[in-house]
Amino acid sequence: MNLFREKGWNNMSFISRSFPFWTAGLLVLAFSMSGCRGGGESTVETLVSVRATEVTGGQMEEIPLRFSGIVRAAQRATLTFQVSGTLKERPVELGQMVTPGDALARLYNPALEPARDSAAARLDELKTQFDQAQREWERSSRLHKRGVVSEQTLEQIAARRDGLRASMATAEASLAEASRLLEESVLRAPFAGQVEALLVERDEFVAAGQPVMRLSSPLGREVEVRVPAHLLDFVNVGQGLPVWLVQDRKREPVTGTVVEIAQGSSIRGELHPVLVSLPPNSLASGQPVEVGIAPVRESAITVPLLAVVRDSTGTSVFRIDAGVARRVPVVVDRVIGERVMLDPGSLKPGDRVVYAGMTRLVDGDRVEVR
């Protein structure tokens, strides 16, 4: 009995000694579970992985239409004589470089020098007569004051003198005209350039205004192309256009600048010239080239067919704005292959829309574009 009591006492003593440790363990477990629940309530925001593409449409530039032309000098001239005659001198050769004022050709006309000499002689004669009439008027004026010469006689002398003055002015004009015609018998270079064509040989008769030679400046190149009237709306002065060399199509095109555009004409089917200036030292004169003009047209807004979502509210797409998917209602016009044409609305060309991963997506979700 004493043994039982002794053992029972010992067991009770053991329980009483172990109780604080059990309590501490339960408290630790409770705090651990509480910490787990607290961590579950602070959820980490997840990103929905999707795939996106851009909305196409707006202004679209079509494949450039090519128009052929020949490179030529920007400054050029076809030289002619203003008088007729026989070509007697031509000191320049084909391809020769000349400077302004150089004599290029000389024409012989047997009437030019005699006409100038005759006009000069006539002017000298009239000057002599005018000087004599002036002296006679001065003497008559003095005699008129003394009453020797009548008023009528003095007026006649003055009229003769004034007539000689007018005739002398006419003779001066005739002399200037004859001198200029004689000077026109010599063809001079109007600017520095190269002789690119000789159209008349020595001793040939040349009519007034007949082309004799062509001169071109090495500074600046241009090409003129003729385009239909409906393409003039796609070309502006100062616009850059690609220019391809026909003889080497693998060569990268140079960029020319539109400097002149012809106005539209009422003649049906007429082509209109467009003048394009070429960069310095890019293409040589005489080379065949092609100038590209790309028409610009308005195209409809299109998205991939997979980007359109249909539900009870209608059709819509998910547009990505700053990493967030926003549902945008759309109106489908028609389906073209794998794309859908939409009526203009809140979408615009360049917007990004989701086309894969929409099954897990709702409006306002943050997305990660793969």
Side-chain angles (χ1 to χ4, degrees):
M1 191 66 180
N2 293 330
L3 179 60
F4 175 76
R5 288 175 181 169
E6 193 175 76
K7 290 181 180 179
W9 175 256
N10 292 336
N11 290 337
M12 292 299 292
S13 299
F14 174 76
I15 292 172
S16 63
R17 288 194 300 268
S18 302
F19 180 74
F21 296 101
W22 293 351
T23 305
L26 290 173
L27 291 174
V28 171
L29 180 60
F31 281 119
S32 299
M33 294 179 65
S34 176
C36 293
R37 288 195 299 270
E41 290 176 358
S42 58
T43 57
V44 178
E45 185 177 11
T46 60
L47 300 177
V48 181
S49 181
V50 298
R51 291 185 179 180
T53 186
E54 289 188 355
V55 178
T56 63
Q59 286 189 343
M60 296 186 62
E61 189 173 282
E62 298 180 355
I63 299 175
L65 303 176
R66 299 191 180 192
F67 299 89
S68 60
I70 301 295
V71 178
R72 66 189 187 189
Q75 186 179 18
R76 61 198 181 279
T78 301
L79 306 181
T80 63
F81 287 104
Q82 298 301 310
V83 295
S84 60
T86 304
L87 186 64
K88 285 299 181 183
E89 296 181 17
R90 196 189 63 192
V92 296
E93 300 295 336
L94 189 63
Q96 180 177 333
M97 299 298 298
V98 296
T99 58
D102 286 352
L104 306 179
R106 187 181 300 275
L107 199 70
Y108 172 71
N109 188 321
L112 295 179
E113 288 189 13
R116 183 200 59 183
D117 296 341
S118 176
R122 175 60 178 168
L123 179 60
D124 292 339
E125 179 185 0
L126 291 173
K127 282 183 178 180
T128 302
Q129 294 178 3
F130 174 78
D131 293 340
Q132 181 181 359
Q134 179 66 21
R135 290 192 298 269
E136 184 178 355
W137 180 83
E138 292 174 354
R139 287 194 302 268
S140 299
S141 296
R142 290 193 295 268
L143 294 174
H144 174 68
K145 291 179 181 180
R146 297 176 184 177
V148 176
V149 176
S150 64
E151 184 72 23
Q152 182 180 4
T153 302
L154 184 62
E155 291 179 355
Q156 291 176 349
I157 295 173
R160 179 172 177 272
R161 180 202 60 184
D162 294 341
L164 289 172
R165 181 186 288 116
S167 299
M168 189 171 59
T170 303
E172 288 176 350
S174 298
L175 177 60
E177 180 183 4
S179 300
R180 283 195 298 268
L181 289 176
L182 184 60
E183 291 175 358
E184 288 294 333
S185 64
V186 180
L187 193 62
R188 298 187 181 276
F191 54 84
Q194 184 180 24
V195 179
E196 66 174 23
L198 298 173
L199 307 176
V200 178
E201 297 297 330
R202 284 195 188 97
D203 298 327
E204 284 190 25
F205 179 79
V206 180
Q210 178 181 346
V212 175
M213 64 180 64
R214 288 200 304 267
L215 191 66
S216 62
S217 172
L219 303 177
R221 293 288 183 268
E222 65 184 16
V223 58
E224 180 184 306
V225 294
R226 294 183 174 270
V227 302
H230 71 277
L231 290 180
L232 295 180
D233 295 335
F234 306 108
V235 183
N236 300 310
V237 175
Q239 178 183 352
L241 297 178
V243 181
W244 290 273
L245 182 62
V246 174
Q247 298 171 345
D248 187 4
R249 297 185 180 273
K250 296 182 180 180
R251 178 178 173 180
E252 289 294 325
V254 301
T255 302
T257 305
V258 179
V259 292
E260 292 182 11
I261 302 174
Q263 297 297 322
S265 173
S266 59
I267 301 178
R268 181 179 180 181
E270 183 179 10
L271 299 179
H272 306 277
V274 175
L275 192 61
V276 180
S277 176
L278 301 177
N281 304 320
S282 58
L283 297 171
S285 180
Q287 289 182 319
V289 294
E290 291 178 339
V291 179
I293 298 178
V296 178
R297 61 179 177 86
E298 296 288 339
S299 64
I301 299 295
T302 63
V303 297
L305 181 62
L306 298 177
V308 179
V309 180
R310 183 182 294 275
D311 54 17
S312 58
T313 61
T315 55
S316 59
V317 296
F318 283 101
R319 181 178 62 194
I320 300 177
D321 296 331
V324 178
R326 301 295 183 188
R327 183 185 290 269
V328 178
V330 295
V331 178
V332 177
D333 186 5
R334 61 180 180 272
V335 178
I336 305 176
E338 297 181 353
R339 300 189 69 84
V340 177
M341 183 181 297
L342 306 177
D343 288 342
S346 56
L347 287 180
K348 62 181 182 298
D351 287 346
R352 303 184 70 190
V353 295
V354 178
Y355 71 92
M358 294 177 294
T359 56
R360 306 182 305 275
L361 196 61
V362 295
D363 190 18
D365 280 351
R366 298 193 65 83
V367 295
E368 176 187 11
V369 180
R370 292 182 293 168

